[in-house]
Amino acid sequence: MRKRINGRHAFVHERMLEMIVRETILRGQVSFAKADLARRLGCCPKTVDHAVTRLRREGLIETSPVFGPTGAQLPSEYRATAEGVARVALFSEERPA
């Protein structure tokens, strides 16, 4: 995941969106435990919660809970929406001079 987007620091929600879009394109979805993703992003799990909430509210990702055979909750599944894919495409565009 990139640390900079268009010459500026990338926010956690932007870096997370970029990862979810990449995995959605490659595999159709991605599953991760929030604690693992927080370690990977170098933030706390609460920040991951806020980022997921923001991305869902903006319609950039969809989430589905996953439960095991005993009813225990497993890592959720995340998929980028078409709007999410389009947003990440903007990350690669050059900034105007």
Side-chain angles (χ1 to χ4, degrees):
M1 287 179 275
R2 295 184 292 171
K3 300 252 183 201
R4 301 189 70 74
I5 293 174
N6 295 336
R8 63 165 174 77
H9 173 74
F11 294 103
V12 169
H13 70 275
E14 293 171 322
R15 291 169 35 210
M16 185 185 305
L17 176 61
E18 189 173 48
M19 190 250 337
I20 292 171
V21 165
R22 182 182 64 239
E23 294 300 318
T24 298
I25 291 169
L26 292 174
R27 295 174 183 80
Q29 65 190 16
V30 62
S31 293
F32 57 78
K34 289 179 185 174
D36 293 337
L37 185 60
R39 275 192 295 279
R40 197 167 161 193
L41 292 170
C43 64
C44 69
K46 191 71 170 167
T47 302
V48 171
D49 281 336
H50 288 290
V52 168
T53 298
R54 178 179 182 160
L55 294 171
R56 285 177 50 203
R57 184 179 62 238
E58 292 180 7
L60 302 175
I61 66 169
E62 298 172 341
T63 62
S64 301
V66 178
F67 299 95
T70 63
Q73 186 166 359
L74 303 173
S76 295
E77 294 177 345
Y78 300 83
R79 285 171 302 289
T81 63
E83 293 85 5
V85 173
R87 175 79 55 91
V88 167
L90 295 175
F91 294 169
S92 301
E93 292 182 1
E94 293 293 318
R95 288 186 308 167

